[in-house]
Amino acid sequence: MSDQNHDKKRNGLIYALQSVRKHTSPTQKRKMAGLSVFVFISAVLDVVGLAAVLPLIKAGTDIQVVYSNEYLNGVYTFLGFTSEKTFVLALIGLLVSYFIFKTAFGIFVNWMQARLTSDIAVFISRKQFNKYYQLNYLDFNSIKSSLMIRNIFYNPTSYVQWIINPLTLILSETFIVLLIISAIAYYDLFLFGFIMATIGPATYLVYASLKKKGARIGLGIDQVFPYALSSLTEAIN
């Protein structure tokens, strides 16, 4: 089998992870591990915030939920509230404060991601520049300027935009989905099995369909982009 056929059969996610491992420095790998921890914490905060809204809505529409819900009743009794309305207002204030904190934490995680991705892009650009800078005169002149511009400036930015950022998003969404599924399985195992039997296959079919289309689009871009960049460079010159 040719290398091309072998490349088509490789799992895109595994190949992307191997690529990140290859093109990042040890320090950047440690930062990415730390970022993964913060992404997980952000996912936990999202799920907890989503789960906290429903009891509050019930308590706001039916004040008796404060007594019927064992968790709300436990908090109500422990904090020594004497008025249900005051308790609900306190919960609303607490939830608003929580969402403000969650949003601020999410902004901080996005800032960390932006700093890391820009650092990776600069690191790859520097490596490409040094590679061409160390070539002898004849080898350097034999390479098209459009190819050097593409590899030094455009490819590192595209790599961060289409590999690093999507991997972070996939990691975040995976954490959220796993947390929700785990909570459903803990609450009702039958419901968990029903969801897996119905939504699981449909999700896989959608993923398989989009994966093939995305691969075709990406291959087309890879084939067209060098010629477009070369034409643009020649027009400028």
Side-chain angles (χ1 to χ4, degrees), residues 71-83 86-87 90-91 94:
Y71 300 107
L72 290 178
N73 188 35
V75 175
Y76 180 82
T77 304
F78 178 78
L79 296 179
F81 279 92
T82 56
S83 170
T86 304
F87 177 65
L91 287 180
L94 183 63

Side-chain angles (χ1 to χ4, degrees), residues 84-103:
E84 296 87 354
K85 291 183 179 180
T86 304
F87 177 65
V88 172
L89 289 174
L91 287 180
I92 292 174
L94 183 63
L95 189 62
V96 170
S97 301
Y98 175 83
F99 273 100
I100 292 174
F101 169 76
K102 183 180 73 67
T103 302

Side-chain angles (χ1 to χ4, degrees), residues 68-226:
S68 60
N69 187 296
E70 58 176 327
Y71 300 107
L72 290 178
N73 188 35
V75 175
Y76 180 82
T77 304
F78 178 78
L79 296 179
F81 279 92
T82 56
S83 170
E84 296 87 354
K85 291 183 179 180
T86 304
F87 177 65
V88 172
L89 289 174
L91 287 180
I92 292 174
L94 183 63
L95 189 62
V96 170
S97 301
Y98 175 83
F99 273 100
I100 292 174
F101 169 76
K102 183 180 73 67
T103 302
F105 187 82
I107 293 173
F108 172 69
V109 173
N110 289 336
W111 174 79
M112 287 183 61
Q113 179 184 346
R115 286 287 301 271
L116 178 59
T117 53
S118 63
D119 183 49
I120 292 173
V122 171
F123 175 75
I124 296 175
S125 294
R126 187 180 293 114
K127 285 181 64 178
Q128 291 294 315
F129 176 83
N130 291 335
K131 181 182 75 173
Y132 290 113
Y133 185 76
Q134 293 171 1
L135 293 176
N136 60 54
Y137 180 77
L138 294 177
D139 290 336
F140 184 84
N141 277 346
S142 65
I143 301 174
K144 291 184 178 179
S145 59
S146 60
L147 182 63
M148 286 190 287
I149 294 173
R150 171 193 169 194
N151 290 340
I152 294 174
F153 294 106
Y154 290 96
N155 281 355
T157 305
S158 298
Y159 179 74
V160 166
Q161 181 180 1
W162 299 108
I163 301 295
I164 304 295
N165 288 337
L167 279 177
T168 306
L169 179 61
I170 290 173
L171 182 65
S172 175
E173 297 301 321
T174 300
F175 283 149
I176 293 175
V177 170
L178 288 177
L179 288 170
I180 293 175
I181 290 176
S182 300
I184 293 174
Y186 176 79
Y187 177 76
D188 190 336
L189 195 59
F190 176 77
L191 179 62
F192 168 75
F194 176 77
I195 292 175
M196 293 300 294
T198 54
I199 299 180
T203 303
Y204 177 77
L205 291 175
V206 172
Y207 164 74
S209 174
L210 294 178
K211 176 185 175 183
K212 292 178 181 179
K213 291 181 180 179
R216 287 198 296 268
I217 293 173
L219 183 61
I221 293 174
D222 287 342
Q223 292 174 344
V224 171
F225 184 77

Side-chain angles (χ1 to χ4, degrees), residues 48-63:
V48 171
L50 180 64
V53 170
L54 297 178
L56 184 59
I57 293 176
K58 288 184 178 180
T61 55
D62 183 9
I63 206 68

